[in-house]
Amino acid sequence: MRGTKDADPSSPPERARPGGRRARSLRTTLAIAFALVAAGVTALVGVLSYDSAARLVRVDQEAVFDEVVHDLRSQVRQQTLTPEDFTSADPDHDGPRDDLTRPVGTDVQVLGPGGTVIDKGSPPLPVGADARRTADDDTAGSHVEDDDVAVGDDEYRMATVALGDGRGAVQVAQEFSDTEDLLRELQKRTLLFAAAVVVAAGIFGWWLARRITSRLVRLAETAERVASTGRLDVAVPVTGGDEVASLGRSFDRMLGRLARSKDDQRRLAQDAGHELRTPLTSLRTNISLLHRIDELPPASRAELVADLTDESRELTDLVNELVNLAAGHQDDESPVEVSLAEVAEDVAVLARRRTGRTITVRAEPDTTITGRPSQLQRALSNLVENAAKFDAEGTEPIEIAVTRIPGSGVRVEVLDRGPGLDEVDTERIFDRFYRAPAARSRTGSGLGLSIVREVAAAHAGVPFAARRDGGGAVIGFTAREAMSD
């Protein structure tokens, strides 16, 4: 395309989302996920911990204050006490005032009749209308409470307890602003701790994600190197035994299979070019003589036409075999349950019609495997056609034997009474385009038995060939089940 520049193969691929937005890396995603999870867990634990701590502290403070008020009310009910009994601390610290001031943070203020302040608290506590009425109350132990009393900048919880008979009252107060300050400090430290945990989780997540994704990055770089250079012999980094290592091994096997497939294609092209060259050269030579056919003697003319017919037939057979062989590599037929005995019967019927030969089938009852029917039928047809070609006299029937292999799999054999096989031929007849010396004068492409080898390999089996007792050959293959592509 005009106006475009070729991409630099050495540069890393740009990872972008549709719309031009750059994709977030897996490492960043994992780090953010770690931080978010840590933030959520820390926030939940922090809120629950703070709420529980605050509740316990407040409940404890309230319980202490309620106990002080309860003890004071019980004391004034059981004893006849005057304001003077609470004005100063007992030297032995066992007087009424000492019992009230013993809890930490408790302030005491003594009121006389009418609510006059006899002994100020530290700090002085406010005296309201309810406190004055309580000081003049005749019932000892009657009280009034106020939960939110502001004394300067601090807040108190205060209770006023009557001494009875209008003698006055005692005010006790507990400061709870210090408790709230403590809880606010606890809240601040909890937030700081949560922030530190989130940062630490993010750093740890980044480190862990880097360790996890480093192998993925190396694997991606290998894939990009393969894509940019087209080379399939690159080393795939595989370490560990986890899912990433399994991915690396799968990628390595895939590259190996692609390399073998590419090598097979190259060899097929080279071999096909070599085999096609001979009939094409002959055809070209004969065609060049056609413009002088009227000048040739009748015998030469008949020989020329016969040669053109033979060469065109051989070229047609060769092209057909090449097409079938190439299609075998790309066959997408799904494996199904196949009875090789039934396949053998179908092939025998077709071969009888084509060749006019007598073909017998010997098959055991259970010869079913999971395979690709068209491939198996093609392989068996090639074997029967090969036997018919070499056993041209047809003095005895061509036999197809299908037997069960002990354990698993099926063995397929085609037996003929042709010229047989030399020892060197049994090792090479399944190679592409190979022809035994005795068969080079016969028509054929040399691809039929190589297709048998491919089909056997695709069904976890192997081809085989041997001399038959009494003359002839035994050629066939084994099959177990169709291998996954």
Side-chain angles (χ1 to χ4, degrees):
M1 184 181 293
R2 296 176 181 171
T4 61
K5 294 176 65 178
D6 293 337
D8 183 5
S10 62
S11 61
E14 182 178 357
R15 295 169 295 174
R17 294 174 178 163
R21 293 183 298 167
R22 190 171 180 81
R24 179 186 298 165
S25 69
L26 179 60
R27 184 179 302 174
T28 303
T29 301
L30 288 175
I32 293 176
F34 266 94
L36 290 178
V37 170
V41 173
T42 306
L44 179 62
V45 173
V47 169
L48 293 178
S49 300
Y50 173 79
D51 183 70
S52 298
R55 189 185 304 275
L56 287 174
V57 170
R58 291 188 179 108
V59 168
D60 183 67
Q61 292 283 353
E62 290 176 359
V64 170
F65 182 73
D66 291 342
E67 184 178 357
V68 169
V69 174
H70 179 268
D71 291 344
L72 176 60
R73 293 180 64 192
S74 298
Q75 190 177 29
V76 298
R77 285 172 179 171
Q78 296 172 2
Q79 304 177 31
T80 302
L81 299 174
T82 64
E84 287 74 13
D85 294 325
F86 294 91
T87 55
S88 61
D90 190 283
D92 296 330
H93 300 287
D94 57 357
R97 187 183 182 95
D98 293 302
D99 294 336
L100 299 178
T101 58
R102 190 169 292 117
V104 179
T106 303
D107 189 17
V108 178
Q109 182 169 276
V110 183
L111 303 180
T116 58
V117 178
I118 297 177
D119 188 357
K120 294 182 178 180
S122 179
L125 302 177
V127 181
D130 292 338
R132 292 189 178 90
R133 284 195 295 271
T134 302
D136 292 334
D137 199 321
D138 293 335
T139 304
S142 63
H143 75 292
V144 62
E145 292 188 17
D146 194 346
D147 289 339
D148 297 312
V149 177
V151 181
D153 296 332
D154 299 323
E155 293 184 355
Y156 284 76
R157 182 180 296 105
M158 187 176 70
T160 305
V161 178
L163 297 177
D165 296 330
R167 291 191 298 272
V170 177
Q171 290 181 305
V172 291
Q174 182 187 52
E175 182 181 0
F176 61 85
S177 58
D178 287 345
T179 302
E180 295 301 322
D181 292 341
L182 176 64
L183 294 177
R184 280 191 290 270
E185 182 65 21
L186 176 62
Q187 186 181 46
K188 184 189 300 183
R189 294 191 179 188
T190 301
L191 292 175
L192 291 176
F193 175 75
V197 169
V198 170
V199 172
I203 295 174
F204 177 75
W206 179 266
W207 173 81
L208 185 60
R210 184 174 181 178
R211 285 182 57 88
I212 294 174
T213 59
S214 59
R215 291 179 293 163
L216 289 175
V217 170
R218 290 196 298 271
L219 192 60
E221 290 173 350
T222 302
E224 290 299 329
R225 194 178 308 118
V226 172
S228 60
T229 63
R231 295 183 55 188
L232 300 176
D233 58 346
V234 297
V236 179
V238 179
T239 56
D242 54 6
E243 289 80 358
V244 178
S246 177
L247 175 62
R249 285 189 289 270
S250 299
F251 185 65
D252 187 49
R253 288 194 296 269
M254 180 191 70
L255 286 183
R257 184 161 184 174
L258 288 175
R260 290 191 298 272
S261 177
K262 186 176 180 180
D263 190 52
D264 289 342
Q265 291 176 359
R266 183 172 59 253
R267 288 200 308 270
L268 176 61
Q270 292 172 351
D271 294 342
H274 174 74
E275 293 296 322
L276 287 170
R277 191 176 295 114
T278 300
L280 286 174
T281 301
S282 179
L283 283 173
R284 186 166 57 248
T285 302
N286 291 330
I287 290 173
S288 66
L289 296 175
L290 287 178
H291 70 283
R292 296 168 45 200
I293 191 169
D294 293 335
E295 304 174 7
L296 299 176
S300 299
R301 201 181 305 170
E303 183 181 355
L304 176 62
V305 173
D307 195 23
L308 283 172
T309 302
D310 291 341
E311 293 294 347
S312 63
R313 185 189 309 113
E314 183 174 353
L315 183 61
T316 300
D317 292 341
L318 179 59
V319 170
N320 288 335
E321 295 289 356
L322 286 172
V323 170
N324 289 328
L325 185 62
H329 288 284
Q330 304 294 332
D331 197 349
D332 57 355
E333 184 181 17
S334 299
V336 296
E337 294 294 320
V338 182
S339 171
L340 285 174
E342 295 180 2
V343 172
E345 291 289 352
D346 294 339
V347 170
V349 171
L350 182 62
R352 293 187 194 108
R353 185 169 60 249
R354 287 178 176 176
T355 65
R357 296 287 301 275
T358 301
I359 300 174
T360 62
V361 178
R362 292 184 291 105
E364 294 182 356
D366 182 16
T367 58
T368 301
I369 65 169
T370 301
R372 296 182 172 90
S374 62
Q375 287 189 9
L376 294 168
Q377 184 171 3
R378 178 64 180 170
L380 189 51
S381 295
N382 287 357
L383 291 175
V384 174
E385 290 174 5
N386 182 77
K389 180 173 64 175
F390 286 95
D391 187 10
E393 296 181 1
T395 57
E396 292 188 25
I398 296 173
E399 298 181 25
I400 303 175
V402 184
T403 56
R404 191 76 190 177
I405 300 174
S408 63
V410 176
R411 179 184 179 92
V412 180
E413 299 175 335
V414 175
L415 304 91
D416 63 65
R417 289 298 183 184
L421 296 170
D422 293 333
E423 188 67 27
V424 66
D425 294 336
T426 59
E427 299 177 359
R428 298 193 58 193
I429 61 172
F430 295 103
D431 294 343
R432 289 173 184 164
F433 303 107
Y434 176 76
R435 297 185 193 180
R440 289 174 185 171
S441 61
R442 300 175 184 269
T443 59
S445 63
L447 288 173
L449 294 183
S450 68
I451 292 177
V452 174
R453 181 187 64 184
E454 299 291 339
V455 173
H459 289 78
V462 293
F464 57 86
R467 296 181 62 88
R468 184 183 181 187
D469 293 339
V474 179
I475 306 177
F477 63 94
T478 61
R480 298 181 182 275
E481 63 178 8
M483 300 177 67
S484 59
D485 291 332

